[in-house]
Amino acid sequence: MSTTDKGTALITGASAGIGAIYADRLAKRGYDLILVARDKTRLTGLAQRLRSSTGRSVDTLAADLNDKTDLAKVEAILRANADITLLVNNAGVGATAPLLNADVEKMDDMIHLNVGALTRLTYAAAPGFVTRGRGTIINISSIVAISPETLNGVYGGSKAFVLAFSLSLHHELAEKGVRVQAVLPGATATDFWDVAGVPLHHLPAAIVMSAGDMVDAALTGLDQGEVVTIPSLADKVDWDSYETARRTMSGKLSSAVPAPRYRVGAFAASKAAVASAK
Ligand SMILES: NC(=O)c1ccc[n+]([C@@H]2O[C@H](COP(=O)([O-])OP(=O)(O)OC[C@H]3O[C@@H](n4cnc5c(N)ncnc54)[C@H](OP(=O)(O)O)[C@@H]3O)[C@@H](O)[C@H]2O)c1
């Protein structure tokens, strides 16, 4: 039984980096917590600190989300515990290696964690949120979701999935009382970079945000009702015009006939027209 009106937040990847900051900020906002990650020692230490500094109830679950049995345990908690009002799908890994230098087994593991686990946990949490008419899902995507040329393409693809999935979830669940937010951090100062293969100090300081500032900005975006929050993007109008262009185009993407430029003979005709104009 949650000890607070806010209910309980389940945070994946809570042992370090962005997830540990979410744990701190959400406890301070009055949530009880369930912290999930592989490193039991780090989870236990964080839980003790947060219990004594905030007085909140903090449980931990050591689980490898790439392990089917462990993942099933987290799914079972999300299905059974009606006190859970907030799921933060944060656990994830990245890579910086280009395709030809990347190990496909590692890429596959990344897809399982960044896409597979996030999807299964969402499927476990969402029905209860809908039944209770209350719940929030925060999905940690990345700016590479809309800039896949920036890092490894499988990482970018996995985060594009998170963005598309979140937009669709919002479309389907907003009217059922479920809030969905996709957060697209830029470079953030965590262990992510060492794990991904580029030490943080190789990045220009001007493009790296602290994890504290990133999470505070993301929670401010949540408070403002945003579905997509890009903490580093100075001008919101840039996202709004990108999104407006996407939505305008989406009404034109299916047709019984090919576009005129793809009709048989159209390409040869246009080449001939260009040649005769020279
Ligand atoms: N840092 C950035 O520049 C940046 C930018 C954009 C998006 N993001 C995204 O932000 C999220 C958090 O990353 P971070 O920057 O905080 O990195 P981090 O400091 O490396 O933290 C990653 C967290 O995920 C957990 N984790 C990793 N593999 C796991 C697994 N198989 N099962 C369960 N938990 C696992 C780690 O804990 P254990 O090792 O204890 O399991 C850790 O708590 C990720 O989804 C990442 O893609 C980061």
Side-chain angles (χ1 to χ4, degrees), residues 13 22 33 58 65 71 78 98-99 111 130 160 162 186 216 233:
Y22 266 106
L33 301 176
V58 185
L65 298 178
L71 180 58
L78 285 165
L99 178 130
I111 294 168
V130 169
V162 175
D216 287 336
L233 186 68

PDB file of all heavy atoms in Angstrom, residues 13 22 33 58 65 71 78 98-99 111 130 160 162 186 216 233:
ATOM      1  N   GLY A  13      16.502   1.266 -14.586  1.00  0.00           N
ATOM      2  CA  GLY A  13      17.822   1.896 -14.729  1.00  0.00           C
ATOM      3  C   GLY A  13      18.028   2.944 -13.661  1.00  0.00           C
ATOM      4  O   GLY A  13      18.618   4.002 -13.906  1.00  0.00           O
ATOM      5  N   TYR A  22      16.021  10.736 -11.403  1.00  0.00           N
ATOM      6  CA  TYR A  22      14.547  10.636 -11.345  1.00  0.00           C
ATOM      7  C   TYR A  22      14.104  10.126  -9.976  1.00  0.00           C
ATOM      8  O   TYR A  22      13.123  10.629  -9.400  1.00  0.00           O
ATOM      9  CB  TYR A  22      14.008   9.701 -12.440  1.00  0.00           C
ATOM     10  CG  TYR A  22      13.596  10.417 -13.710  1.00  0.00           C
ATOM     11  CD1 TYR A  22      14.371  10.336 -14.845  1.00  0.00           C
ATOM     12  CD2 TYR A  22      12.425  11.174 -13.764  1.00  0.00           C
ATOM     13  CE1 TYR A  22      14.008  11.000 -16.015  1.00  0.00           C
ATOM     14  CE2 TYR A  22      12.044  11.838 -14.924  1.00  0.00           C
ATOM     15  CZ  TYR A  22      12.832  11.752 -16.047  1.00  0.00           C
ATOM     16  OH  TYR A  22      12.457  12.419 -17.188  1.00  0.00           O
ATOM     17  N   LEU A  33       8.744   4.710  -4.134  1.00  0.00           N
ATOM     18  CA  LEU A  33       9.528   4.268  -5.293  1.00  0.00           C
ATOM     19  C   LEU A  33       9.739   2.760  -5.323  1.00  0.00           C
ATOM     20  O   LEU A  33       9.856   2.120  -4.272  1.00  0.00           O
ATOM     21  CB  LEU A  33      10.925   4.924  -5.261  1.00  0.00           C
ATOM     22  CG  LEU A  33      11.015   6.447  -5.268  1.00  0.00           C
ATOM     23  CD1 LEU A  33      12.482   6.873  -5.140  1.00  0.00           C
ATOM     24  CD2 LEU A  33      10.413   7.033  -6.548  1.00  0.00           C
ATOM     25  N   VAL A  58      10.816   3.131  -0.190  1.00  0.00           N
ATOM     26  CA  VAL A  58      11.619   2.846  -1.398  1.00  0.00           C
ATOM     27  C   VAL A  58      11.974   1.361  -1.428  1.00  0.00           C
ATOM     28  O   VAL A  58      12.703   0.873  -0.560  1.00  0.00           O
ATOM     29  CB  VAL A  58      12.924   3.687  -1.427  1.00  0.00           C
ATOM     30  CG1 VAL A  58      13.662   3.455  -2.747  1.00  0.00           C
ATOM     31  CG2 VAL A  58      12.636   5.168  -1.228  1.00  0.00           C
ATOM     32  N   LEU A  65      17.052  -6.567 -17.294  1.00  0.00           N
ATOM     33  CA  LEU A  65      15.886  -6.485 -18.181  1.00  0.00           C
ATOM     34  C   LEU A  65      16.126  -7.194 -19.514  1.00  0.00           C
ATOM     35  O   LEU A  65      15.211  -7.335 -20.315  1.00  0.00           O
ATOM     36  CB  LEU A  65      15.475  -5.024 -18.397  1.00  0.00           C
ATOM     37  CG  LEU A  65      15.057  -4.278 -17.125  1.00  0.00           C
ATOM     38  CD1 LEU A  65      14.706  -2.826 -17.439  1.00  0.00           C
ATOM     39  CD2 LEU A  65      13.872  -4.958 -16.434  1.00  0.00           C
ATOM     40  N   LEU A  71      12.800  -9.930 -16.355  1.00  0.00           N
ATOM     41  CA  LEU A  71      11.848  -8.977 -16.951  1.00  0.00           C
ATOM     42  C   LEU A  71      10.416  -9.350 -16.554  1.00  0.00           C
ATOM     43  O   LEU A  71       9.606  -8.475 -16.209  1.00  0.00           O
ATOM     44  CB  LEU A  71      12.024  -8.975 -18.479  1.00  0.00           C
ATOM     45  CG  LEU A  71      11.120  -8.042 -19.282  1.00  0.00           C
ATOM     46  CD1 LEU A  71      11.265  -6.593 -18.848  1.00  0.00           C
ATOM     47  CD2 LEU A  71      11.417  -8.178 -20.785  1.00  0.00           C
ATOM     48  N   LEU A  78       4.242  -4.679 -12.115  1.00  0.00           N
ATOM     49  CA  LEU A  78       3.464  -3.604 -12.749  1.00  0.00           C
ATOM     50  C   LEU A  78       1.992  -4.015 -12.916  1.00  0.00           C
ATOM     51  O   LEU A  78       1.089  -3.186 -12.804  1.00  0.00           O
ATOM     52  CB  LEU A  78       4.066  -3.253 -14.115  1.00  0.00           C
ATOM     53  CG  LEU A  78       5.366  -2.439 -14.046  1.00  0.00           C
ATOM     54  CD1 LEU A  78       6.089  -2.453 -15.390  1.00  0.00           C
ATOM     55  CD2 LEU A  78       5.089  -1.001 -13.613  1.00  0.00           C
ATOM     56  N   PRO A  98      30.198   2.938 -35.695  1.00  0.00           N
ATOM     57  CA  PRO A  98      29.429   2.831 -36.939  1.00  0.00           C
ATOM     58  C   PRO A  98      29.124   1.368 -37.262  1.00  0.00           C
ATOM     59  O   PRO A  98      29.757   0.464 -36.711  1.00  0.00           O
ATOM     60  CB  PRO A  98      30.361   3.442 -37.997  1.00  0.00           C
ATOM     61  CG  PRO A  98      31.714   3.495 -37.389  1.00  0.00           C
ATOM     62  CD  PRO A  98      31.563   3.430 -35.900  1.00  0.00           C
ATOM     63  N   LEU A  99      28.174   1.147 -38.147  1.00  0.00           N
ATOM     64  CA  LEU A  99      27.668  -0.200 -38.438  1.00  0.00           C
ATOM     65  C   LEU A  99      28.779  -1.217 -38.660  1.00  0.00           C
ATOM     66  O   LEU A  99      28.779  -2.296 -38.065  1.00  0.00           O
ATOM     67  CB  LEU A  99      26.765  -0.140 -39.671  1.00  0.00           C
ATOM     68  CG  LEU A  99      26.184  -1.485 -40.129  1.00  0.00           C
ATOM     69  CD1 LEU A  99      24.686  -1.372 -40.341  1.00  0.00           C
ATOM     70  CD2 LEU A  99      26.841  -1.980 -41.405  1.00  0.00           C
ATOM     71  N   ILE A 111      18.780  -3.631 -28.722  1.00  0.00           N
ATOM     72  CA  ILE A 111      17.378  -3.588 -29.169  1.00  0.00           C
ATOM     73  C   ILE A 111      16.482  -4.244 -28.115  1.00  0.00           C
ATOM     74  O   ILE A 111      15.402  -3.736 -27.793  1.00  0.00           O
ATOM     75  CB  ILE A 111      17.218  -4.274 -30.546  1.00  0.00           C
ATOM     76  CG1 ILE A 111      17.957  -3.484 -31.625  1.00  0.00           C
ATOM     77  CG2 ILE A 111      15.750  -4.423 -30.921  1.00  0.00           C
ATOM     78  CD1 ILE A 111      18.103  -4.215 -32.953  1.00  0.00           C
ATOM     79  N   VAL A 130      -5.273   2.342 -17.353  1.00  0.00           N
ATOM     80  CA  VAL A 130      -6.545   2.641 -18.039  1.00  0.00           C
ATOM     81  C   VAL A 130      -7.716   2.272 -17.137  1.00  0.00           C
ATOM     82  O   VAL A 130      -8.662   3.053 -16.969  1.00  0.00           O
ATOM     83  CB  VAL A 130      -6.614   1.888 -19.393  1.00  0.00           C
ATOM     84  CG1 VAL A 130      -8.018   1.968 -19.982  1.00  0.00           C
ATOM     85  CG2 VAL A 130      -5.580   2.459 -20.374  1.00  0.00           C
ATOM     86  N   ALA A 160      14.238   6.050 -31.929  1.00  0.00           N
ATOM     87  CA  ALA A 160      13.137   6.471 -32.816  1.00  0.00           C
ATOM     88  C   ALA A 160      11.900   5.623 -32.525  1.00  0.00           C
ATOM     89  O   ALA A 160      10.767   6.121 -32.529  1.00  0.00           O
ATOM     90  CB  ALA A 160      13.553   6.332 -34.278  1.00  0.00           C
ATOM     91  N   VAL A 162      11.169   4.433 -29.599  1.00  0.00           N
ATOM     92  CA  VAL A 162      10.613   4.933 -28.331  1.00  0.00           C
ATOM     93  C   VAL A 162       9.764   6.187 -28.579  1.00  0.00           C
ATOM     94  O   VAL A 162       8.675   6.339 -28.016  1.00  0.00           O
ATOM     95  CB  VAL A 162      11.738   5.219 -27.306  1.00  0.00           C
ATOM     96  CG1 VAL A 162      11.173   5.848 -26.028  1.00  0.00           C
ATOM     97  CG2 VAL A 162      12.501   3.936 -26.974  1.00  0.00           C
ATOM     98  N   GLY A 186      19.685  15.454 -24.974  1.00  0.00           N
ATOM     99  CA  GLY A 186      20.941  15.517 -25.714  1.00  0.00           C
ATOM    100  C   GLY A 186      22.014  14.870 -24.855  1.00  0.00           C
ATOM    101  O   GLY A 186      21.705  14.151 -23.879  1.00  0.00           O
ATOM    102  N   ASP A 216      15.393  17.729 -14.203  1.00  0.00           N
ATOM    103  CA  ASP A 216      14.548  18.845 -13.744  1.00  0.00           C
ATOM    104  C   ASP A 216      13.792  19.473 -14.921  1.00  0.00           C
ATOM    105  O   ASP A 216      12.605  19.791 -14.820  1.00  0.00           O
ATOM    106  CB  ASP A 216      15.395  19.901 -13.030  1.00  0.00           C
ATOM    107  CG  ASP A 216      15.856  19.423 -11.646  1.00  0.00           C
ATOM    108  OD1 ASP A 216      15.185  18.538 -11.071  1.00  0.00           O
ATOM    109  OD2 ASP A 216      16.881  19.927 -11.160  1.00  0.00           O
ATOM    110  N   LEU A 233      16.574  21.904 -26.383  1.00  0.00           N
ATOM    111  CA  LEU A 233      16.115  22.692 -27.537  1.00  0.00           C
ATOM    112  C   LEU A 233      15.603  24.057 -27.066  1.00  0.00           C
ATOM    113  O   LEU A 233      14.571  24.150 -26.394  1.00  0.00           O
ATOM    114  CB  LEU A 233      15.010  21.933 -28.290  1.00  0.00           C
ATOM    115  CG  LEU A 233      14.551  22.571 -29.594  1.00  0.00           C
ATOM    116  CD1 LEU A 233      15.651  22.531 -30.654  1.00  0.00           C
ATOM    117  CD2 LEU A 233      13.301  21.867 -30.122  1.00  0.00           C
TER     118      LEU A 233
END
